[in-house]
Amino acid sequence: MIRVKMVPTSITFIALLSACAHTGQVEEGRRYFNRMINEFGIEPEAEHFSCMIDLLSRAGKLGEAKRLIETMPFTPGMAAWATLLGACRKHGKMELAEIAANELLQLEPTNATPYVVLANMYTDFGKWEDVARVRKLMRDRGIKKLPGCSWLELHNRVHVFVAEDNSHPMMKEIHDYLDWMVLKIKHAGYVPDGDETGEGEKETRLRHHSEKLAVAFGLLSTTDGAPIVVMKNLRICGDCHNAMKYISQISCRKITVRDANRFHCFERGNCSCGDYW
């Protein structure tokens, strides 16, 4: 655009900063952010700051991301703190996660997401008293986590799967297929979260997550090589994300899961998100 004398707009820089975030080009992103302000006189909006927070968070520069939030010329919104909170799960920064979660709870106290993310992090760190405290807070405030729901379209019909739901007429075949597939991907290196903690019951529950049920149904009901596209109402969990990579490799299929955050395209054992979501 600069070469042909076109003036970049605010939207141009949102796309540019987002691209830098997804490709890990931290210094490039910083330069474009500064050029936007100093060279083109564009005042950063919430979307620009969110892109920069995402860029820094993905690179593990969480302290810098927090400082950027604190220097925003307007009150940070949900997107800024939610981006930082998601990065703290990813990078294991418990103290910063608590700060981000508390800010989110101040902005939107009835939103279940920060409670759930915080409880999951406490679980990962073995802080069971804190897990109980967050869950009690949810109960006291009447906040309920939405059940995981996934669906896919096949032969002009939408098939819906809910975690722990056995109402689908093919559920026995789906569970049998999942049991077989889990054995196959374990041989390939997959370790369920339940195996890491020694909780067999937890592993069984993980197998019944809605996205696993939907993908298993899709694999059972389509021809070899056909791509699978699944939609999910919540963010895909870490165990399902890991399992999908192995399933795509074993089944030689392209599996796309559109969760609440983004598209995940699993193919040959890899995901398009680069394991950051």
Side-chain angles (χ1 to χ4, degrees):
M1 292 177 73
I2 293 170
R3 271 202 307 272
V4 297
K5 304 273 192 280
M6 290 180 67
V7 179
T9 65
S10 173
I11 295 174
T12 305
F13 282 100
I14 291 173
L16 193 55
L17 294 172
S18 179
C20 288
H22 283 83
T23 53
Q25 299 187 61
V26 178
E27 295 307 319
E28 285 289 306
R30 283 200 186 101
R31 279 198 293 272
Y32 284 124
F33 187 73
N34 291 330
R35 286 186 70 186
M36 176 183 74
I37 300 168
N38 300 324
E39 186 175 337
F40 297 99
I42 298 173
E43 288 297 320
E45 300 173 5
E47 291 85 353
H48 300 108
F49 280 103
S50 291
C51 289
M52 284 302 296
I53 294 162
D54 189 29
L55 170 67
L56 295 169
S57 298
R58 286 172 181 266
K61 300 180 181 297
L62 302 186
E64 188 175 345
K66 179 175 177 288
R67 287 192 295 274
L68 182 62
I69 294 175
E70 293 170 341
T71 59
M72 289 169 65
F74 41 79
T75 302
M78 289 285 294
W81 291 113
T83 300
L84 184 62
L85 178 60
C88 295
R89 169 189 270 171
K90 185 66 178 180
H91 294 287
K93 301 294 185 180
M94 191 71 248
E95 292 182 7
L96 196 52
E98 290 175 329
I99 293 172
N102 286 326
E103 291 289 344
L104 285 170
L105 294 178
Q106 293 292 326
L107 290 168
E108 200 169 316
T110 59
N111 188 335
T113 300
Y115 296 93
V116 173
V117 172
L118 205 53
N120 289 342
M121 286 198 70
Y122 284 137
T123 299
D124 292 340
F125 281 82
K127 295 188 173 184
W128 305 112
E129 290 183 2
D130 289 318
V131 173
R133 176 176 56 80
V134 172
R135 289 177 177 170
K136 183 180 184 301
L137 191 60
M138 290 181 71
R139 288 194 301 271
D140 292 345
R141 295 182 176 179
I143 298 166
K144 295 182 179 179
K145 177 186 175 183
L146 286 173
C149 175
S150 299
W151 62 94
L152 74 164
E153 184 176 341
L154 189 64
H155 307 311
N156 296 319
R157 180 184 170 191
V158 176
H159 296 261
V160 181
F161 297 87
V162 179
E164 304 293 339
D165 178 32
N166 292 313
S167 62
H168 195 279
M170 286 183 61
M171 195 54 71
K172 184 181 184 306
E173 294 96 315
I174 291 169
H175 283 161
D176 289 343
Y177 181 84
L178 273 177
D179 289 342
W180 173 81
M181 179 58 76
V182 167
L183 288 176
K184 296 281 287 184
I185 63 178
K186 277 184 174 180
H187 285 301
Y190 163 70
V191 179
D193 283 352
D195 277 8
E196 292 177 354
T197 59
E199 299 174 6
E201 184 181 349
K202 181 181 178 183
E203 182 187 338
T204 301
R205 291 200 305 270
L206 289 171
R207 291 191 195 186
H208 295 174
H209 282 191
S210 64
E211 56 267 55
K212 286 193 182 82
L213 298 175
V215 167
F217 170 74
L219 292 172
L220 279 169
S221 306
T222 56
T223 57
D224 288 344
I228 307 295
V229 180
V230 169
M231 310 295 286
K232 181 176 170 64
N233 67 329
L234 303 176
R235 178 183 179 275
I236 188 171
C237 80
D239 180 79
C240 286
H241 190 273
N242 189 31
M244 294 301 173
K245 292 194 295 182
Y246 284 98
I247 292 172
S248 71
Q249 184 177 19
I250 296 296
S251 65
C252 298
R253 300 277 199 113
K254 182 177 181 179
I255 301 170
T256 301
V257 178
R258 175 61 169 100
D259 74 356
N261 287 357
R262 57 178 51 85
F263 281 94
H264 298 270
C265 298
F266 302 95
E267 194 170 15
R268 298 174 184 173
N270 297 301
C271 180
S272 58
C273 77
D275 294 338
Y276 190 103
W277 74 105

